Amino acid sequence: MNFKDNFTALRKQAGLSQSDLAEKLFVTRQAVSRWERGETVPAIETLRALSELFGVSINHLLGYQTDLVCQSCGMPIVPEQMGRRPDGSLNEKFCKWCWDQGVFQKDCTLEEMVEWCLPYMPFGDPDSNRKFLMDLLPTLDRWKTRETPAHQIS
């Protein structure tokens, strides 16, 4: 799916008319209509507002593949955010903030990773987000294979 299809489906799912949504975002109904026809895409500030309003990531709104998740921090990743192997090729398993040039950028415990990720979580209170991360991270490759030396993880 692309932005216009995702956006239109989310607006309708929320039970909002184009006019209702335009009013919430402080834009014209014509702007909303142009987004739905695929003529334009909203500015980043408006994408952020839409992301919050619909409870989805900006990546989801824009139609990026949403099944790539960093196997260290659990955040969704797109190609521009992928870490790189020592040979410079992209590594789809880790984001560039967790893994670059074949090594983890943050040598830490699972608990330290949870605390490092908390400020970047846009929704929910810290205690709920901490519990979410404590449940999620052990299911990811980095933490499942914690005994494996970092240089052996590709």
Side-chain angles (χ1 to χ4, degrees):
M1 280 188 134
N2 55 29
F3 172 78
K4 70 179 188 164
D5 296 328
N6 289 339
F7 172 71
T8 303
L10 289 165
R11 178 186 62 78
K12 290 178 179 178
Q13 195 173 35
L16 297 170
S17 69
Q18 288 183 347
S19 296
D20 293 337
L21 186 57
E23 189 175 312
K24 285 183 177 293
L25 297 173
F26 305 105
V27 298
T28 65
R29 187 206 54 78
Q30 290 80 3
V32 174
S33 177
R34 284 192 301 274
W35 300 338
E36 289 192 0
R37 289 194 309 269
E39 295 173 7
T40 61
V41 176
I44 189 67
E45 297 82 19
T46 306
L47 286 170
R48 284 187 187 121
L50 289 167
S51 171
E52 289 180 25
L53 178 67
F54 296 139
V56 298
S57 70
I58 292 174
N59 287 340
H60 177 81
L61 278 171
L62 292 174
Y64 286 121
Q65 185 176 354
T66 56
D67 60 350
L68 292 179
V69 173
C70 176
Q71 293 297 301
S72 175
C73 67
M75 301 301 166
I77 52 176
V78 294
E80 308 82 60
Q81 299 169 336
M82 289 177 189
R84 296 197 175 266
R85 293 183 180 91
D87 66 2
S89 63
L90 291 176
N91 183 333
E92 294 182 351
K93 290 179 70 171
F94 301 106
C95 70
K96 64 184 178 183
W97 297 281
C98 289
W99 174 271
D100 195 36
Q101 300 305 309
V103 295
F104 287 110
Q105 298 301 294
K106 186 163 182 61
D107 185 27
C108 61
T109 66
L110 184 138
E111 291 78 13
E112 290 169 331
M113 179 59 79
V114 167
E115 295 305 317
W116 184 73
C117 291
L118 280 176
Y120 302 102
M121 297 188 71
F123 304 107
D125 64 273
D127 289 336
S128 297
N129 288 341
R130 187 175 287 108
K131 180 180 178 344
F132 172 79
L133 288 169
M134 288 300 291
D135 291 341
L136 172 68
L137 295 189
T139 69
L140 303 176
D141 289 352
R142 178 180 185 181
W143 307 106
K144 285 195 286 189
T145 60
R146 192 60 179 152
E147 298 79 34
T148 305
H151 69 275
Q152 292 182 3
I153 299 176
S154 59

